[in-house]
Amino acid sequence: MTDFDLVVRSQRAITPDGERPAAIAVRDGRIAEVAGYDAPLRAEREEDLGRLALLPGLVDTHVHVNEPGRTEWEGFASATRAAAAGGVTTIIDMPLNSLPPTTTADALEIKRKAAAGQVRVDVGFWGGAVPGNRAVLRPLHDAGVFGFKAFLIDSGVPEFPPLTPGELSEAFREVDALFLVHAEDPDEVGDHASSASYADFVASRPRSAENTAIARVIAAARRTGARAHILHLSSSEAVPLIAAARAEGVRITAETCPHYLALTAEEVPDGATQFKCCPPIRDAANRDALWAALADGVIDLIVSDHSPCTPELKRADTGDFAAAWGGIASLQLGLPIIWTQARQRGHSLSDVVRWMAANPASLAGLDAKGRLAAGADADLVVFDPDSTQRVDVARLQHRNPVSPYHDRVLTGVVLGSWLRGAPTVGEPAGRLLTRGTR
């Protein structure tokens, strides 16, 4: 007679109390007990990882899956396969660039039907706030989206237009929900003429565009009492604005992404459009300031902003940054990218788990995700923090082999993952999550 379905032992388990030797006992897909490493636990299956690290499954709340409609860019099968390979066991899909975008309850149902039976990790959905759909925000929220994404600047696709600052405030007042905002001010973004110069591209999207837009989001959240979240923070100059707003009680949080924490403008060759994203990768001093903001807790979390496209749309043939699609695919690589940088800066695996698992789960209200604790889902990741890997885009699980990380040597290798106690390499067993899911 066994007490548990699975016991996983590790001398380096990353728990909410820090890194320690532990045995994680799993029953019916949940963590039933977190015991000492040598605890006499009886289970049908047992894994002893020794000095390999055991992490909770990462939670990535910023993923563009693009299915249906632009499945040639990415799809639920390939995106969730890449997520599982990278130690990400929960993703929340952005309302664009799929067709239709998730801006109505009917569109949400279309997306859920497209995802059904394909997902290897758990998947939730954000809704979209666009001009003209204010009246359907509440029904869409009631249908289970985790909150709403809005742009203050052109999104890059015509079916998902931006809100004016006034329309953003109206949306904030319409429904008590989490609003995620792509904050760049269109009046401060220059006309970027055709150019292969990365310096020209960065100059066209200055820090001031982010700073101004973030100040407007803060002002709207202050007036309305809404809960607002700044997406993919790139400008370190906006950090004091966020810190000050939070200190006065404004409900504001912020994220940044692996590319802003690992890459620098100085290293981007002209014509290397695989580095293009919006807002752009900035200079090394800016990167260091973002790391400081993470350490101080002003930036709450790290997510991928996985925004892939077909190779043709990256315009490698011309190297034209103005014409290339702006987005970086890194869903499978986020953990080693961040660990490579974090350990060099004196951060621990516990810090990385807080930024990439616990805090994203908290943002989305996923109480059962992102932690090795009794009652949580048994989403587990085996990670070798000391081994290295050389990135080969041809071996990634993303649908299209385009990445600025190609041929880079990263520290840390994901060796396996479990979703609710079952290996993610079997048949797709992910669930479609709705807001309020435990």
Side-chain angles (χ1 to χ4, degrees):
M1 187 93 178
T2 57
D3 298 315
F4 304 105
D5 304 320
L6 171 69
V7 168
V8 183
R9 303 178 192 270
S10 170
Q11 295 178 23
R12 301 188 65 181
I14 311 302
T15 75
D17 298 323
E19 181 178 323
R20 66 182 178 90
I24 307 299
V26 178
R27 185 190 300 118
D28 297 329
R30 297 272 175 111
I31 297 175
E33 184 178 347
V34 179
Y37 176 78
D38 294 321
L41 305 173
R42 299 180 300 172
E44 292 181 12
R45 294 175 292 138
E46 183 165 330
E47 298 271 354
D48 192 332
L49 306 179
R51 291 291 299 167
L52 295 174
L54 181 64
L55 281 56
L58 304 188
V59 178
D60 193 334
T61 55
H62 195 151
V63 178
H64 294 267
V65 176
N66 306 325
E67 185 176 4
R70 292 189 175 97
T71 311
E72 69 274 15
W73 295 16
E74 192 72 278
F76 286 105
S78 55
T80 59
R81 189 166 56 243
V88 178
T89 54
T90 303
I91 66 171
I92 304 188
D93 173 55
M94 282 293 169
L96 73 164
N97 302 301
S98 57
L99 293 169
T102 315
T103 53
T104 66
D106 287 345
L108 173 63
E109 186 59 25
I110 290 170
K111 183 166 281 192
R112 290 175 63 87
K113 287 180 178 178
Q118 294 200 73
V119 297
R120 292 183 179 275
V121 303
D122 286 353
V123 177
F125 303 93
W126 298 112
V130 296
N133 84 327
R134 187 178 65 170
V136 304
L137 294 180
R138 191 178 301 277
L140 183 52
H141 201 232
D142 291 343
V145 298
F146 284 79
F148 298 95
K149 180 176 185 176
F151 279 77
L152 295 182
I153 193 170
D154 180 21
S155 72
V157 291
E159 67 275 3
F160 203 98
L163 298 178
T164 65
E167 289 170 332
L168 182 68
S169 292
E170 291 173 356
F172 281 1
R173 292 188 178 96
E174 183 66 27
V175 58
D176 182 15
L178 174 63
F179 282 86
L180 302 85
V181 186
H182 181 128
E184 288 181 282
D185 184 87
D187 294 333
E188 298 198 32
V189 169
D191 293 329
H192 179 35
S194 178
S195 173
S197 166
Y198 186 69
D200 287 349
F201 170 61
V202 174
S204 75
R205 299 185 90 108
R207 290 179 182 87
S208 61
E210 281 190 85
N211 305 339
T212 298
I214 288 169
R216 287 176 175 164
V217 174
I218 290 170
R222 182 186 294 115
R223 285 194 305 270
T224 63
R227 184 180 172 209
H229 179 73
I230 303 300
L231 295 168
H232 44 54
L233 179 65
S234 162
S235 171
S236 61
E237 292 175 356
V239 168
L241 300 176
I242 296 167
R246 191 176 298 171
E248 67 173 271
V250 177
R251 296 199 294 169
I252 187 85
T253 50
E255 69 185 38
T256 193
C257 305
H259 36 279
Y260 301 128
L261 297 169
L263 306 174
T264 63
E266 293 91 335
E267 68 186 286
V268 179
D270 287 348
T273 54
Q274 66 269 29
F275 288 84
K276 180 181 177 180
C277 56
C278 299
I281 296 159
R282 305 193 188 277
D283 58 61
N286 185 86
R287 177 189 63 180
D288 293 343
L290 293 177
W291 275 104
L294 271 168
D296 292 341
V298 181
I299 297 176
D300 302 271
L301 52 134
I302 303 170
V303 290
S304 68
D305 188 11
H306 179 73
S307 184
C309 66
T310 60
E312 294 76 19
L313 290 174
K314 272 299 189 183
R315 300 309 304 268
D317 55 338
T318 64
D320 183 358
F321 279 98
W325 175 259
I328 289 176
S330 65
L331 182 55
Q332 185 174 337
L333 297 172
L335 179 54
I337 291 167
I338 292 303
W339 177 236
T340 300
Q341 295 288 323
R343 71 183 301 179
Q344 294 173 1
R345 297 167 183 271
H347 296 294
S348 67
L349 276 175
S350 292
D351 293 328
V352 172
V353 165
R354 183 173 69 255
W355 295 326
M356 301 186 77
N359 287 1
S362 177
L363 177 80
L366 291 168
D367 297 339
K369 301 293 187 181
R371 56 196 177 95
L372 297 183
D377 284 352
D379 300 344
L380 313 173
V381 174
V382 184
F383 185 62
D384 183 345
D386 301 315
S387 292
T388 60
Q389 60 175 306
R390 185 178 294 275
V391 177
D392 179 356
V393 292
R395 300 180 65 183
L396 297 178
Q397 299 297 320
H398 308 148
R399 183 178 295 277
N400 292 293
V402 180
S403 172
Y405 301 103
H406 177 62
D407 213 32
R408 286 178 178 261
V409 176
L410 302 177
T411 301
V413 177
V414 175
L415 298 176
S417 58
W418 287 274
L419 181 68
R420 288 184 297 278
T424 57
V425 294
E427 290 297 312
R431 295 176 181 171
L432 303 184
L433 306 177
T434 58
R435 183 177 50 83
T437 303
R438 190 195 174 285

